[in-house]
């Protein structure tokens, strides 16, 4: 077996895109298993910057087959734009396939996302307004339209008729305007025609690939604490970014997953509302945001920044049964004299459960030495200053999880592989 899940270990934006691009060169299949264009995965190669939202970050490898799996939320218009943009930018891309089980995001989902956020008032979630929550609501309510339906005009017409009537009543109730069936159908029918050739029975193809021992890389979006079941509910996304989502979202069973690597920043960021025990609302937080250029890939919002929360990270290791960690953005911490990490939530020995529990968390912080050296040019472990090495060792020891890869800059080349055996197996 040669299967590897790359999962976000925090609140998203951990640099999964860069890592999937780096490891994608070794994979035969790269499979995005959840979420939609609420994700923004940046890949920097030389002077080119790619921002993937729906396409797997492995698409740049022409020998790999990229799959948008059944657990995903696909905005057809966004996907076509992204595909055209990538084709224009790249020297070539790999083959793309879309599962018929993936759900389609329509304009009424985006409109409802906006209206519902407005209606929440002080309790808004700070969503990306890409219609992701309303689309997954339809999936659970069993009125969603899937890619397999979407590309068959008669079925699409009939399903859209039924659902749009209902959505129009809902949107009017929330103060929005109705969407015309004819306009929507005509526009989306053209997208369906364009995307039809990509829709394939990806479940069967992946089952065969597992049997043949092909290298399969599962690309997570978002992060563990944005998971609908395991995150800081209700301040979460509506899908399953955790490693379990890789099996649910693709049809590859749990015993076929070999390794799980969790990507974590060497500090913490969060976009949108919700608990964040180690948040820094002071000059150091601003310094991290400045040095790390911490602004959202999708919405441009400033990311909230804070110290590394090891209690949360240890929990993420457990929830995802992680084989190892990928610690990114170590270079960003350069120039901070004393670093702090959270090693306990005061007066608690269990993870907070509710919004109210999280609000009461007081983090216990431990200090570790910082470093001033520019580490972006390091090639191997031995090139790193001892303060960086100690920081990494502290994380490994606290989480009882080995560091498999370190990232010390955005480029492909700024990657130090410490444990090749934890990637595809020895
Ligand atoms: P993702 O959503 O997890 O794929 O992460 P994003 O792409 O939203 O954000 C990560 C950002 O960090 C991107 O702008 C990357 O180019 C950048 N990046 C990745 N690895 C490193 C690193 O080790 N150091 C620095 N400074 N930037 C990095
Ligand atoms: P990547 O894959 C960071 C956050 C939103 C909001 C919450 C719910 O780039 O790591 P949604 O639009 O999903 O209903 O918003 O989840 N969020 C992300 N934050 N990175 C992401 O993706 C995110 N995707 C969603 O900011 O707080
Ligand atoms: Mg991102």
């Amino acid at each position: 077996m040669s299967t590897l899940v790359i999962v976000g270990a925090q609140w998203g934006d951990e640099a999964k895109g860069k890592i999937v691009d780096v490891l994608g060169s070794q994979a035969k299949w790269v499979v995005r298993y959840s979420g939609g264009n609420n994700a923004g995965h940046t890949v920097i190669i030389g002077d080119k910057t790619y921002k993937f939202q729906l396409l797997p970050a492995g698409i740049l490898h022409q020998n790999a087959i990229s799959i948008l799996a059944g657990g995903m939320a696909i905005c057809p218009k966004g996907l076509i734009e992204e595909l055209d943009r990538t084709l224009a930018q790249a020297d070539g891309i790999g083959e793309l396939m879309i599962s018929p089980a993936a759900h389609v995001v329509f304009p009424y989902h985006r409109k409802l996302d906006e209206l519902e956020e407005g209606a929440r008032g002080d309790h808004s979630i700070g969503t990306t307004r890409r219609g992701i929550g309303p689309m997954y609501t339809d999936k659970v309510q069993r009125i969603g339209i899937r890619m397999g339906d979407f590309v068959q005009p008669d079925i699409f017409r009939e399903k859209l008729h039924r659902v749009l009537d209902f959505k129009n009543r809902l949107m009017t109730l929330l103060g929005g305007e109705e969407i015309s069936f004819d306009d929507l159908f005509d526009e989306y029918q053209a997208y369906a025609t364009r995307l039809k050739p990509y829709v394939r029975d990806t479940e069967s193809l992946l089952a065969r690939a597992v049997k043949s021992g092909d290298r399969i890389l599962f690309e997570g979006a978002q992060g563990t604490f944005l998971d609908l079941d395991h995150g800081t509910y209700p301040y979460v996304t509506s899908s399953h970014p955790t490693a379990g989502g890789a099996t649910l979202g693709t049809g590859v069973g749990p015993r076929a997953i070999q390794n799980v690597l969790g990507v974590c920043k060497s500090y913490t960021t969060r976009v949108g509302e919700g608990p964040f025990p180690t948040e820094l609302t002071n000059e150091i937080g601003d310094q991290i945001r400045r040095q790390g250029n911490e602004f959202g890939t999708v919405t441009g919002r400033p990311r909230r920044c804070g110290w590394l929360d090891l209690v949360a990270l240890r929990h993420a290791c457990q929830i995802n049964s992680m084989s190892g960690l990928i610690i990114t953005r170590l270079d960003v911490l350069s120039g901070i004299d004393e670093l702090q990490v959270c090693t306990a939530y005061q007066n608690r020995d269990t993870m907070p459960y509710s919004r109210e529990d999280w609000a009461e968390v007081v983090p216990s912080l431990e200090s570790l030495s910082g470093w001033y050296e520019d580490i972006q040019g390091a090639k191997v472990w031995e090139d790193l200053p001892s303060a960086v090495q100690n920081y990494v060792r502290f994380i490994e020891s606290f989480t009882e999880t080995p560091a498999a890869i370190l990232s010390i800059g955005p480029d492909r080349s700024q990657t130090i592989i410490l444990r090749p055996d934890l990637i595809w197996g020895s």
Side-chain angles (χ1 to χ4, degrees), residues 8-54:
Q10 296 161 317
W11 277 274
D13 301 324
E14 299 91 345
K16 299 173 293 292
K18 170 192 160 161
I19 298 301
V20 170
D21 169 62
V22 168
L23 299 179
S25 65
Q26 306 160 5
K28 176 134 185 218
W29 305 81
V30 181
V31 189
R32 195 41 219 270
Y33 61 81
S34 72
N37 58 1
N38 47 348
H41 298 173
T42 316
V43 173
I44 298 180
I45 303 161
D47 58 0
K48 284 188 184 166
T49 299
Y50 300 87
K51 298 212 180 271
F52 296 118
Q53 294 199 257
L54 288 160

Side-chain angles (χ1 to χ4, degrees), residues 11-13 16 38-41 126-128 222 226 236-237 271-272 301:
W11 277 274
D13 301 324
K16 299 173 293 292
N38 47 348
H41 298 173
T127 72
T128 59
Q222 287 81 49
L226 290 172
V236 294
T237 190
V271 207
R301 290 178 286 179

Side-chain angles (χ1 to χ4, degrees), residues 44-95:
I44 298 180
I45 303 161
D47 58 0
K48 284 188 184 166
T49 299
Y50 300 87
K51 298 212 180 271
F52 296 118
Q53 294 199 257
L54 288 160
L55 292 176
I59 193 85
L60 298 172
H61 300 293
Q62 292 179 46
N63 294 329
I65 299 167
S66 286
I67 291 183
L68 307 185
M72 283 192 70
I74 298 179
C75 165
K77 186 174 183 212
L79 177 58
I80 290 167
E81 282 169 8
E82 194 177 326
L83 200 51
D84 289 342
R85 190 174 66 233
T86 310
L87 281 166
Q89 220 184 341
D91 296 329
I93 63 169
E95 190 177 351

